Amino acid sequence: MTTRVERLAARLAPATTAVLTVECQRGVIGRDGALPELAEAVRAEGALANVAALVAAAHGVGATVVHAIAERRSDGRGANRNARLFHAAARLPVQQLTGSPMADVAEEIPVADTDLYARRLHGLSPLAGTGLDPVLRNLGCRTLVVTGVSANVAVPNAVFDAVNLGYEAVVPEDAIASVPAEYRRAMVANTLSLVATVATTGEILSCWTA
């Protein structure tokens, strides 16, 4: 009988796996970004360090890395206005403007020339309407390891879209963060565990270092 870790390792074959960092950008989780509470949360329990470790490991074994970046034009054209979240984001003192440092990947996360980017001006998902799905399919990806922020909205949205598109979703529960912090645990236990394989960063790293 195969063990849980063996089953996880089978899902995480580097040639068919992509690590997705969701909104791990300077303007969102950077210390000089727009959301200091979220920036603190992603550091408090080690989630940011775990995202960085997973990205570095993916680089090492040849798995695909995708950075999902939410950005905005200076004139706001193309941005959603159909939810309170979007109106609040438009009023933030720090904006994720296209081409600005706030739309760069957070400094703690290693970036390689082979990395892909899913940049969007609209919506909540790095998959829906971004063109990322056909790119991943062209690369032979079948499993998405979803990391980043936040477990309130963008991370579950990415997981649901991945599952709807036929991917195997893996969620390293200690490489995502939320505000308040305890919401992450409730989201993982009551929602994400029903549609994704929940693991720890250590378990995933062990699959790529054995």
Side-chain angles (χ1 to χ4, degrees), residues 99-119:
S100 76
M102 295 299 107
D104 289 343
V105 176
E107 295 174 353
E108 293 89 343
I109 297 173
V111 174
D113 291 341
T114 54
D115 291 358
L116 301 175
Y117 293 82
R119 299 183 180 276

Side-chain angles (χ1 to χ4, degrees), residues 1-165:
M1 180 179 295
T2 58
T3 67
R4 178 176 179 276
V5 173
E6 287 172 337
R7 291 192 297 273
L8 179 63
R11 290 190 177 94
L12 293 172
T16 57
T17 297
V19 173
L20 180 66
T21 72
V22 178
E23 296 183 29
C24 290
Q25 58 201 76
R26 183 171 161 183
V28 175
I29 61 170
R31 296 188 185 278
D32 54 351
L35 302 170
E37 193 174 1
L38 185 56
E40 175 59 28
V42 80
R43 289 170 174 79
E45 296 184 354
L48 181 55
N50 288 333
V51 174
L54 288 166
V55 169
H59 290 156
V61 297
T64 296
V65 173
V66 182
H67 304 290
I69 304 294
E71 55 188 29
R72 182 181 179 88
R73 285 172 53 110
S74 59
D75 59 9
R77 285 176 63 83
N80 283 67
R81 296 177 175 82
N82 58 337
R84 289 174 55 198
L85 177 65
F86 302 123
H87 290 284
R91 295 193 298 269
L92 290 172
V94 178
Q95 292 290 310
Q96 330 299 320
L97 298 181
T98 300
S100 76
M102 295 299 107
D104 289 343
V105 176
E107 295 174 353
E108 293 89 343
I109 297 173
V111 174
D113 291 341
T114 54
D115 291 358
L116 301 175
Y117 293 82
R119 299 183 180 276
R120 71 182 195 277
L121 296 173
H122 63 86
L124 302 169
S125 173
L127 282 164
T130 65
L132 178 59
D133 176 40
V135 172
L136 292 175
R137 292 186 188 280
N138 287 343
L139 292 170
C141 292
R142 299 299 308 141
T143 298
L144 295 187
V145 179
V146 182
T147 71
V149 296
S150 71
N152 303 73
V153 177
V155 166
N157 200 141
V159 171
F160 295 151
D161 282 348
V163 173
N164 286 335
L165 289 167

